Amino acid sequence: DLTALAQLLGDAVRVDPDSGQTVLRLGFRLSVRERAVPDMTGPPVAADSVRTNGKLLSLRALLEFLWHESDLVAWSPGLAGRRHWGLVAWLLRQAAGTARAKGHPLSERIFVPEPFRLERKAEIAARRLNTWQRAAARPGRAQQLLVLIGEVKTIEAARYGHKIVFKHLPDAPLFLDEDLHRKLVRRFAQELDLWAADEGGRLMAIATFVTGRGGSANAEEVALMPTTSQWLPYDDPYGKVLLESLVDQHRRFRTLPRFTLPASTIHPVAVLTDTVEPHTLYLSLDSSEALVPTKDSDTQWIWDVHDPLPALPPQPSGRRARGHNRSSPQ
């Protein structure tokens, strides 16, 4: 399975035959009384918040799973100018609504902020506070955690520790203590560098948090994922160049999340879906690295990044013309 989802099926991800719902096994806790995940301060095998063996979904892998299930990994020319935060947030909530985790609907634990409107600031804040009360401490009960997904605006110093300010939660940052901030900067150094280097790009965060007495969100675990301006995830600057080239050339394609695959595993960046046969698109980052030819090598496209970007596999002439017309000014 090119999406790397196959390694998770049956263990971290399975389908309940009775209800038809997707059941997820999570590698992070959703209540304070659960056993905490191991603390690993060294460099991770992959860009992830928790190292897993494929039998559990880490926090980063959950974000990639929801991105995959909501089809935010797909792109076509007709989406240009139409993929905005309101749509992204709605799609993520819909994807969460089809899954269960730790015996409960995942939608009960996922918080994705609605588009912020200054004229509706008070009513938006009231809805948020009502939802966040699910993660507040209650006498005699285990304190629950919620999972927040949002687009990062800034990561900056707070009165105590640091805070992540989200683009659609300007008045409700996510607070991080000094230890968690230090781990975040170390573990996600590459993601933060990619975000800093691309002013038009986006940085998505997923975090588990509890709600303090004052209504604030206090993070327990955080993972980051950079995306292009079209919300397409990527792992390195060459991947971003390739995805942006595909968008500029009005191609149809799907990006392919790694999930729990380590960074050392050769994995395609995307698959073209507007060719006669789907073509998988690979990067060769090391000139000494060779991709082993397979029986499907005719449908593999490889860019050795030390050379200029090669021509992409062509579209059928009729499809190319239709795609161009959809994206051309009227």
Side-chain angles (χ1 to χ4, degrees):
D1 189 328
L2 289 173
T3 65
L5 191 59
Q7 64 175 327
L8 303 174
L9 295 175
D11 288 318
V13 179
R14 64 181 181 85
V15 177
D16 186 320
D18 296 325
S19 66
Q21 281 202 313
T22 302
V23 179
L24 307 178
R25 296 183 64 208
L26 305 180
F28 54 91
R29 64 183 189 171
L30 283 181
S31 78
V32 172
R33 287 185 185 175
E34 285 183 59
R35 187 176 63 180
V37 296
D39 178 27
M40 294 165 294
T41 57
V45 174
D48 219 334
S49 62
V50 178
R51 186 176 303 168
T52 70
N53 57 9
K55 295 185 178 181
L56 299 172
L57 276 183
S58 68
L59 196 58
R60 166 70 182 256
L62 174 62
L63 181 59
E64 291 176 328
F65 176 80
L66 292 174
W67 227 255
H68 176 271
E69 292 300 292
S70 59
D71 225 24
L72 288 167
V73 296
W75 183 260
S76 64
L79 290 171
R82 298 183 180 180
R83 187 171 276 184
H84 48 79
W85 177 248
L87 176 62
V88 170
W90 183 82
L91 289 171
L92 290 171
R93 293 190 204 101
Q94 292 296 111
T98 66
R100 297 179 66 84
K102 299 185 185 289
H104 299 280
L106 185 61
S107 57
E108 293 180 357
R109 297 302 186 95
I110 296 286
F111 175 80
V112 187
E114 62 185 281
F116 182 76
R117 299 285 184 271
L118 185 60
E119 65 276 12
R120 296 168 49 213
K121 177 180 177 180
E123 61 183 273
I124 291 173
R127 282 194 291 270
R128 171 182 53 77
L129 284 169
N130 285 337
T131 300
W132 284 12
Q133 284 307 303
R134 301 174 193 168
R138 297 181 181 180
R141 297 185 183 181
Q143 187 169 11
Q144 303 300 304
L145 284 81
L146 291 178
V147 179
L148 188 158
I149 299 173
E151 182 184 355
V152 176
K153 181 179 180 181
T154 63
I155 302 176
E156 57 191 50
R159 182 178 299 177
Y160 303 105
H162 284 73
K163 61 184 178 181
I164 299 177
V165 179
F166 294 94
K167 286 196 173 180
H168 291 277
L169 280 177
D171 55 346
L174 176 71
F175 291 98
L176 291 70
D177 63 31
E178 289 291 357
D179 184 52
L180 182 57
H181 176 258
R182 196 162 45 244
K183 291 177 182 177
L184 182 74
V185 171
R186 180 171 61 247
R187 186 160 298 174
F188 291 96
Q190 178 168 323
E191 285 79 1
L192 289 166
D193 284 348
L194 290 169
W195 180 48
D198 181 15
E199 291 189 359
R202 307 178 190 276
L203 183 65
M204 301 305 302
I206 181 170
T208 56
F209 71 94
V210 295
T211 304
R213 292 182 180 179
S216 63
N218 303 304
E220 172 166 295
E221 187 175 339
V222 186
L224 302 174
M225 182 181 78
T227 78
T228 67
S229 59
Q230 295 84 17
W231 311 90
L232 300 167
Y234 65 93
D235 295 327
D236 57 67
Y238 294 103
K240 180 178 77 74
V241 168
L242 175 56
L243 294 180
E244 290 179 342
S245 178
L246 293 172
V247 171
D248 290 343
Q249 296 185 47
H250 311 298
R251 303 303 300 263
R252 292 177 180 270
F253 61 92
R254 297 179 65 85
T255 62
L256 300 173
R258 282 185 172 271
F259 295 110
T260 57
L261 282 180
S264 57
T265 301
I266 296 172
H267 186 65
V269 175
V271 56
L272 279 176
T273 57
D274 59 1
T275 47
V276 175
E277 295 290 336
H279 276 68
T280 49
L281 310 181
Y282 289 88
L283 297 179
S284 178
L285 302 175
D286 185 345
S287 57
S288 64
E289 179 183 88
L291 288 169
V292 179
T294 69
K295 63 181 180 179
D296 298 320
S297 59
D298 289 343
T299 58
Q300 289 181 352
W301 176 95
I302 303 172
W303 174 24
D304 183 335
V305 299
H306 301 89
D307 297 328
L309 183 71
L312 291 166
Q315 300 168 272
S317 56
R319 182 173 296 179
R320 181 167 61 250
R322 290 194 298 272
H324 178 74
N325 288 338
R326 275 194 299 271
S327 302
S328 299
Q330 298 298 318

